[in-house]
Amino acid sequence: MNNHPLADYVRILARGKNASRNMTQDEAKFTLAQMLEGNYHPEQLGAIFMLLRVLEETPEEIAGFSAAANHYWPAGSDEFDLVWASYAGKRRQPFWWMLSALLLSQMGYRILVHGTLSHTPGRKYAHEVFKELGLPIVSEDNSAIKTESLVYLPCAQINERLQQWLSLKSILGVRSPINTVMKTISPNGVPSVQGVFHPNYRAIHTEAAKLNHELALVIKGEGGEFEVNPERKCIADFRFADSSGQIEIANTQSHFADKPENTDTSALISFWRGETGSIYGETAVLNTAALALCLIRQNDDYGQALDDCTKAWSGRDCTII
């Protein structure tokens, strides 16, 4: 009997303590390409994901997986100015970054947010907030992706297996490498902002972007989303077309008394409309928007970006949501 095409790739990871190794970038790309086409057995899927989890995925593996997934972006995805990955969800805070993206869209930039449907109980996800704000969500008819300046793309519309695999946490008991990979994907030539929960993943994400010649900016974000937490110093690792480095944002204070403690979207609406105020919220929105603007401009002049976002905030259309 002939071996399945993926059998050799499972073997790379599973030869035991001394003989196992991580995949090369090309091996990882082939592996996920096969799986995205449905050419795998469930046993192979579980083995590959969990063995990578034990070995700890490398930038080369994430880059290979990301390159394979990037073949599936819908038509028109490469016409945006920025891709915004949202996979962590929120438990304790409103989606302040959503207002950052909305602000940038009012500044003339097209923002494509991609993310997951709910897969962890007790968390709120971006697709729910888009719906509550009345913002467009891509369906089978992807006309919104061709016309809207701020749009949400469920990852199932990229490839339905991606959402299925993200939902495996309840079966496997732990996150799989797909949770990392999904934050790193982007259409050809479109820069991507990415939030991570564990600081050491910043380096993995930025190195994967370098390997794939992609433009990216990565932070340890609030709750794992791409959102600056004003109560903590923020370090952003960036990779531009002609440079790489870090942008640091100091926290002005360690505690904000007006920080909301729930994910209620109505707080975002009233804040955007100017009906309520929040120093925490305004700082989070503007700092996050300024970092994203640095990536769009391929320029690490954070001070100028913050000034521009602050002016745009003062002149925003408060009636849009």
Side-chain angles (χ1 to χ4, degrees):
M1 182 176 68
N2 294 328
N3 281 344
H4 187 279
L6 286 184
D8 290 338
Y9 294 82
V10 176
R11 189 177 299 113
I12 289 170
L13 305 170
R15 285 179 169 174
K17 182 177 180 179
N18 296 320
S20 295
R21 63 171 175 82
N22 286 89
M23 293 182 180
T24 66
Q25 185 174 346
D26 287 342
E27 289 167 343
K29 182 178 180 180
F30 175 84
T31 298
L32 197 70
Q34 290 289 305
M35 290 162 56
L36 285 168
E37 288 296 315
N39 189 19
Y40 68 92
H41 291 288
E43 297 86 349
Q44 294 171 321
L45 178 77
I48 289 169
F49 284 174
M50 291 301 94
L51 287 167
L52 281 172
R53 174 83 178 186
V54 171
L55 291 173
E56 298 185 356
E57 59 267 40
T58 65
E60 289 76 14
E61 288 167 329
I62 296 302
F65 278 7
S66 180
N70 280 336
H71 284 291
Y72 292 89
W73 286 97
S77 301
D78 58 353
E79 297 177 6
F80 285 81
D81 297 297
L82 184 72
V83 161
W84 199 301
S86 177
Y87 286 86
K90 291 286 208 94
R91 285 191 302 176
R92 293 184 294 269
Q93 280 281 306
F95 278 71
W96 296 112
W97 68 258
M98 192 78 75
L99 301 187
S100 306
L102 188 59
L103 180 65
L104 289 168
S105 73
Q106 291 212 329
M107 294 171 70
Y109 301 105
R110 297 191 70 216
I111 312 296
L112 177 62
V113 178
H114 65 97
T116 176
L117 301 177
S118 305
H119 61 75
T120 301
R123 283 187 173 271
K124 193 167 191 172
Y125 290 89
H127 71 96
E128 299 172 281
V129 183
F130 262 76
K131 184 176 180 179
E132 292 167 354
L133 293 178
L135 297 173
I137 299 175
V138 176
S139 61
E140 295 296 336
D141 170 18
N142 72 344
S143 58
I145 213 168
K146 301 175 183 177
T147 60
E148 302 290 344
S149 60
L150 175 60
V151 63
Y152 181 82
L153 176 67
C155 67
Q157 297 296 330
I158 302 173
N159 185 299
E160 62 182 359
R161 293 183 177 87
L162 296 172
Q163 179 60 52
Q164 294 170 5
W165 297 341
L166 285 168
S167 301
L168 288 175
K169 181 180 177 182
S170 62
I171 297 173
L172 299 174
V174 294
R175 292 157 50 90
S176 79
I178 291 299
N179 293 79
T180 301
V181 171
M182 294 310 299
K183 294 183 178 183
T184 68
I185 66 174
S186 63
N188 184 41
V190 183
S192 170
V193 290
Q194 307 164 24
V196 301
F197 186 79
H198 298 289
N200 59 312
Y201 271 87
R202 290 203 325 264
I204 293 175
H205 284 234
T206 51
E207 182 62 24
K210 179 180 179 181
L211 291 169
N212 279 339
H213 307 288
E214 293 173 340
L215 312 173
L217 190 148
V218 188
I219 65 171
K220 174 179 167 27
E222 203 287 313
E225 291 281 328
F226 184 82
E227 179 181 299
V228 175
N229 180 347
E231 295 181 339
R232 304 284 185 271
K233 181 175 76 171
C234 178
I235 300 176
D237 292 326
F238 66 82
R239 185 183 184 279
F240 299 156
D242 57 0
S243 63
S244 60
Q246 292 184 334
I247 299 171
E248 292 193 15
I249 305 174
N251 58 314
T252 56
Q253 54 195 79
S254 59
H255 176 71
F256 288 76
D258 63 356
K259 180 175 71 173
E261 297 296 337
N262 59 64
T263 60
D264 190 352
T265 301
S266 65
L268 297 179
I269 296 173
S270 62
F271 180 67
W272 177 269
R273 292 176 178 174
E275 298 167 351
T276 59
S278 170
I279 299 174
Y280 178 96
E282 184 169 338
T283 306
V285 170
L286 294 179
N287 286 358
T288 303
L291 281 180
L293 185 56
C294 284
L295 180 61
I296 292 172
R297 291 175 170 174
Q298 298 290 289
N299 186 312
D300 64 355
D301 189 346
Y302 173 78
Q304 183 61 58
L306 183 60
D307 285 345
D308 293 342
C309 289
T310 302
K311 292 175 183 177
W313 178 258
S314 297
R316 70 190 183 280
D317 179 359
C318 295
T319 67
I320 199 169
I321 57 173

